[in-house]
Amino acid sequence: MAIDVFISEEKIQERIKELAEVISKDYKGEEVIVVGVLNGCFMFCADLLRELDLPVITEFMAASSYGEGTTTSGQVDILLDIKSDIKGKNVLFVEDIVDTGHTFKKILEMIKTRGPKSVKIASLLSKPARREHEIDIDYLAFEIEDKFVVGYGLDLAGKYRELPYIGIYNS
Ligand code: 5GP
């Protein structure tokens, strides 16, 4: 087993600064409820939040994902919901990776029933080749090919989340 560096720490941090600038401009003068989608978002969300120049309320949601393997089952369960009332509010989801789109299809369906003013998505990564549901990502750091990645919050059975870079897992 080896992990090759795929996107370096420097590149990630540089891109986050760029995204944060755009997000801060887009929401200028507005309050935003930032919703991190656990578990994989924790590093991206923490770094992005520190670069935002906005009044934010921070919340977290958790949805089930791959479990112990590297392929999706398509079954998504909401394991942790937000506490804020989002009626009439701007909601910005922060996600580690949009892969098949199953997770976001489920989250968006649920959140739209609560009457938010706006809903946007910021994602660290996107694998468009694997998409099964169309998902509009408003702020995307990196588009990647169909490879299983770990690091910078992303895991394989709980491992490698602590890496400061995104790596390709070679079994
Ligand atoms: P989706 O529902 O879009 O298929 O998948 C979303 C979730 O699957 C992500 O939040 C992430 O937890 C997991 N996932 C998708 N692709 C990868 C990957 O390449 N590496 C890791 N570690 N997790 C992934």
Side-chain angles (χ1 to χ4, degrees), residues 11 17 85 97 116 120 132 137:
K11 265 201 188 151
K17 284 193 173 67
D85 178 5
I97 184 164
K120 286 187 175 184
E132 291 173 25
I137 304 173

Side-chain angles (χ1 to χ4, degrees), residues 66 95-97 99-103 127 147-149 154-155:
Y66 285 0
E95 172 68 304
D96 55 353
I97 184 164
D99 183 27
T100 62
H102 287 301
T103 306
K127 279 196 245 179
K147 293 214 183 298
F148 190 80
V149 290
L154 290 133
D155 76 314

